[in-house]
């Protein structure tokens, strides 16, 4: 039980029954474990770039394998599927986010690490959920009693004025009518024409100190700003099915 699990839970709340979903490397991988733990793996179909369809994709060094998969096809075939518009949702990580929602996932500390299948998934999915910690550089957290406390923030901001490289274009996504959500351990944003809209913050965090002061730009704050569900900040949850099956 840690912030990765919290983020995976909140990201999974964006998914709906019947969805075909891709999971990217990193924190998004944990969505499969959360869905399995919550007894919701039967509600949607998970897939990975390696060619697995269905079942429960594995995490960490075993990523690319799958428990009880329904099918496995060649990587080229899965990308034909993604490029053809079969994906309902893609869950992907990120390194940096700009004021208008543009995102960098391909250049880190001056090195071009490449996008891999990121652009195919982000471009092909109707709903994209980006998932990462709010700051980088070994932040420390305390979880308990349905709340999050930032013990020590990371040394590097991720929501910055000038991202190193545009791996995802917010403008193009909006023109295509996509639903874009950014999930972190302490805040949730939605992409709008006016920029990033802050819609939720974690219970226990301070809006100014823990969120706005840790960004290089000021997002739009929803006038109906809500708290993220406190139950996802507890060790035991059991509420995912209700979110995935709602209209």
């Amino acid at each position: 039980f840690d912030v990765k699990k919290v983020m995976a839970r909140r990201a999974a709340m964006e998914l709906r029954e019947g969805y075909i979903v891709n999971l990217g490397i990193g924190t998004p991988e944990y969505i499969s474990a959360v869905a399995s733990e919550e007894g919701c793996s039967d509600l949607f179909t998970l897939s990975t770039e390696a060619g697995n369809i269905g079942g429960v994709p594995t995490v960490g060094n075993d990523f690319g394998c799958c428990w009880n998969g329904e099918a496995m096809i060649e990587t080229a075939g899965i990308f034909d599927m993604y490029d053809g518009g079969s994906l309902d949702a893609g869950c992907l990580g990120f390194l940096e986010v700009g004021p208008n929602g543009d995102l960098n996932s391909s250049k880190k500390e001056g090195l071009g690490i490449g996008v891999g299948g990121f652009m195919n998934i982000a471009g092909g999915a109707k709903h994209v959920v980006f998932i990462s910690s709010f700051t980088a550089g070994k932040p420390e957290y305390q979880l308990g009693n349905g709340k999050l406390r930032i013990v020590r923030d990371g040394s590097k901001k991720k929501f910055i004025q000038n991202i190193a490289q545009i791996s995802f274009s917010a403008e193009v996504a909006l023109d295509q009518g996509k639903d874009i959500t950014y999930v972190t351990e302490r805040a949730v944003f939605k992409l709008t024409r006016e920029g990033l809209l802050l819609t939720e913050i974690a219970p226990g965090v301070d809006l100014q100190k823990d969120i706005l002061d840790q960004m290089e730009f000021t997002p739009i704050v929803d006038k109906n700003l809500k708290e993220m569900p406190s139950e996802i900040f507890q060790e035991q949850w059991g509420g995912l099915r209700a979110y995935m099956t709602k209209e």
Side-chain angles (χ1 to χ4, degrees):
F1 177 56
D2 58 13
V3 292
K4 284 186 178 180
K5 189 169 189 176
V6 168
M7 288 187 281
R9 284 172 169 176
R10 180 59 189 83
M13 289 166 52
E14 295 290 314
L15 308 178
R16 292 295 177 267
E17 185 175 9
Y19 268 21
I20 297 174
V21 182
N22 167 271
L23 299 181
I25 296 172
T27 302
E29 301 171 22
Y30 292 87
I31 292 173
S32 64
V34 163
S36 179
E37 182 178 275
E38 293 285 312
C40 296
S41 297
D42 61 317
L43 294 181
F44 61 153
T45 301
L46 294 172
S47 65
T48 66
E49 298 164 55
N52 298 305
I53 300 174
V56 181
T58 55
V59 302
N61 292 333
D62 293 327
F63 186 75
C65 301
C66 183
W67 294 103
N68 302 318
E70 296 172 22
M72 175 177 281
I73 62 177
E74 293 182 352
T75 298
I78 203 85
F79 276 107
D80 285 343
M81 175 180 148
Y82 292 164
D83 293 340
S86 297
L87 271 182
D88 294 295
C91 302
L92 303 164
F94 65 83
L95 296 171
E96 299 169 333
V97 181
N100 71 336
D102 284 350
L103 186 146
N104 168 33
S105 70
S106 52
K107 192 171 185 179
K108 184 177 182 180
E109 297 176 354
L111 298 176
I113 58 177
V115 291
F118 180 95
M119 293 179 70
N120 304 74
I121 297 161
K126 303 172 185 71
H127 183 180
V128 185
V129 185
F130 294 118
I131 314 162
S132 183
S133 59
F134 197 79
T135 60
K138 298 182 179 179
E140 292 184 12
Y141 313 96
Q142 184 178 74
L143 291 168
N145 300 317
K147 294 182 179 181
L148 172 71
R149 186 170 76 87
I150 313 300
V151 178
R152 184 182 67 193
D153 230 315
S155 58
K156 184 178 180 181
K157 292 180 172 63
K158 290 191 175 184
F159 290 80
I160 59 176
Q161 284 288 350
N162 298 298
I163 63 177
Q165 192 168 70
I166 298 176
S167 315
F168 166 82
S169 169
E171 182 179 359
V172 170
L174 289 168
D175 288 344
Q176 294 175 339
K178 295 182 183 294
D179 183 355
I180 310 297
T181 307
Y182 305 77
V183 173
T184 74
E185 80 287 347
R186 70 186 79 173
V188 178
F189 300 87
K190 284 285 188 179
L191 179 62
T192 72
R193 285 285 178 190
E194 293 71 35
L196 288 184
L197 176 67
L198 176 62
T199 59
E200 299 176 32
I201 63 173
V205 304
D206 181 88
L207 173 61
Q208 186 64 49
K209 179 174 73 72
D210 295 326
I211 297 175
L212 300 181
D213 289 352
Q214 302 304 320
M215 303 175 70
E216 289 187 359
F217 60 88
T218 303
I220 306 162
V221 179
D222 196 325
K223 62 181 180 181
N224 297 315
L225 183 65
K226 301 185 296 184
E227 283 194 344
M228 298 165 70
S230 61
E231 56 265 27
I232 68 173
F233 293 88
Q234 298 173 358
E235 190 160 354
Q236 301 298 320
W237 183 25
L240 179 58
R241 182 171 288 267
Y243 285 98
M244 291 192 64
T245 56
K246 73 179 182 181
E247 296 294 330

